[in-house]
Amino acid sequence: LERTFIAVKPDGVQRGLISEIISRFERKGYKLVGIKVVVPSKEFAGKHYHALKEKPFFNGLSEFLSSGPVVAMVWEGEGVITYGRKLIGATDPQKSEPGTIRGDLAVVVGRNIIHGSDGPETAKDEINLWFKPEELV
Ligand code: ATP
Ligand code: MG
């Protein structure tokens, strides 16, 4: 069954949005197969966002992801990679539709509270980066 990597970023944790975010995936019908709270190092955050290495905001982004607790999760279910991104909404919360997580709960792109893998390859890579096989059910 398909799996994706979802993370509540430090701003989402700090704002008390963990349960709200979990609820939306759970109510949709997806299954939580791994979860942990971690404070990633800046180096680790950079690995997670390696595809964006050349972007002007890469340094600030890596710094931000490592600035506090992150709730790292793996969710499983049919279409969870693509549909998870729909639940999350567009990258820029100003462009996210109401009803999506970012549309309802965030305002600016640098503080968009949640991450979701953008395809099957990145899902696999990100799950392997954040979790050991024995941490998943
Ligand atoms: P994520 O990978 O976090 O799920 P995404 O796939 O919607 O988000 P990406 O293009 O992968 O978007 O960008 C990763 C993250 O980088 C975004 O979630 C956002 O926090 C940050 N980001 C993207 N564009 C900008 C920007 N123009 N300025 C500042 N931060 C940005
Ligand atoms: Mg992305």
Side-chain angles (χ1 to χ4, degrees), residues 7-136:
V8 184
K9 298 179 185 178
D11 52 339
V13 174
Q14 199 273 331
R15 290 178 53 205
L17 297 173
I18 300 166
S19 61
E20 167 81 33
I21 287 168
I22 289 176
S23 294
R24 290 182 182 221
F25 279 83
E26 211 172 26
R27 282 155 62 208
K28 171 68 180 168
Y30 291 131
K31 182 179 159 197
L32 185 61
V33 296
I35 184 168
K36 60 182 171 183
V37 185
V38 286
V39 182
S41 66
K42 189 177 171 190
E43 188 198 349
F44 186 93
K47 265 188 209 165
H48 170 75
Y49 278 128
H50 70 274
L52 302 173
K53 212 164 46 202
E54 305 305 327
K55 301 283 184 187
F57 54 82
F58 175 75
N59 187 56
L61 180 62
S62 306
E63 209 140 71
F64 178 65
L65 193 70
S66 62
S67 68
V70 169
V71 176
M73 298 179 276
V74 178
W75 286 87
E76 182 183 87
E78 197 171 319
V80 69
I81 300 172
T82 299
Y83 206 89
R85 300 269 296 181
K86 277 195 193 175
L87 291 175
I88 290 171
T91 306
D92 179 354
Q94 295 291 330
K95 295 179 182 137
S96 317
E97 295 299 325
T100 65
I101 292 167
R102 287 170 177 160
D104 289 346
L105 304 169
V107 179
V108 294
V109 71
R111 296 289 183 272
N112 61 5
I113 69 171
I114 180 170
H115 163 82
S117 305
D118 62 11
E121 278 309 308
T122 47
K124 192 149 60 74
D125 291 348
E126 290 171 359
I127 291 168
N128 289 334
L129 177 66
W130 288 82
F131 285 93
K132 298 178 189 137
E134 63 267 29
E135 291 174 319
L136 304 174

